[in-house]
Amino acid sequence: MIKVLLALLSLTSVAYGTISDQCLRCICKAESGCQPIGCRLDVYSDSCGFFQIKEAYWKDCGRPGIGWKECSKDYSCAAGCVRTYMNRYIGYSGCPANCESFARIHNGGPKGCTYDCTKQYWKRVQQQGCTMYS
């Protein structure tokens, strides 16, 4: 019985996809050098912190922490937000659960992995040492 439950849990993880620690670090490096930098104007709104999270992204990941800017400057909170966002949208996107898709969703929104404009961002993430399978 326990083996069956463990097998089901592993299938659930594969079906929805979970971003790996390595992929998360590559995105962090591409965004900020993995530093808690302040906010920068990016496509008509501010992006803040380790992962350059926008307020709408923070809301989509469940509003963790005490506020958007505060969460973005706390690695644990910001990384948790990115993980939640990826788990929420990888199935919606129709893209495979791999580092390329996660990076492009991070950059382009819920269906970002389908947009040509996010391919350049994926190249930036690759330059941090990640592959599609990271």
Side-chain angles (χ1 to χ4, degrees), residues 32-109:
S32 68
C34 219
Q35 299 296 314
I37 62 174
C39 298
R40 297 178 179 169
L41 186 61
D42 175 41
V43 191
Y44 311 115
S45 64
D46 281 340
S47 295
C48 304
F50 285 98
F51 294 93
Q52 290 295 283
I53 294 172
K54 293 182 175 292
E55 186 174 18
Y57 188 114
W58 174 76
K59 288 177 180 177
D60 275 358
C61 78
R63 302 172 187 245
I66 59 172
W68 155 52
K69 291 181 181 179
E70 294 77 11
C71 180
S72 74
K73 293 184 282 186
D74 176 277
Y75 184 84
S76 180
C77 186
C81 178
V82 173
R83 286 182 188 285
T84 299
Y85 191 90
M86 294 306 145
N87 286 339
R88 178 176 182 179
Y89 288 116
I90 192 64
Y92 171 78
S93 72
C95 296
N98 62 37
C99 190
E100 179 180 359
S101 296
F102 291 132
R104 293 175 66 193
I105 288 169
H106 179 73
N107 181 247

Side-chain angles (χ1 to χ4, degrees), residues 6 18 24 26 33 82 100 102 108 114 116 132:
L6 290 174
T18 301
L24 197 62
C26 288
V82 173
E100 179 180 359
F102 291 132
T114 66
D116 284 340
M132 182 185 306

Side-chain angles (χ1 to χ4, degrees), residues 18-36:
T18 301
I19 188 170
S20 71
D21 290 339
Q22 183 180 3
C23 185
L24 197 62
R25 279 191 302 275
C26 288
I27 291 171
C28 189
K29 287 179 189 175
E31 289 291 353
S32 68
C34 219
Q35 299 296 314

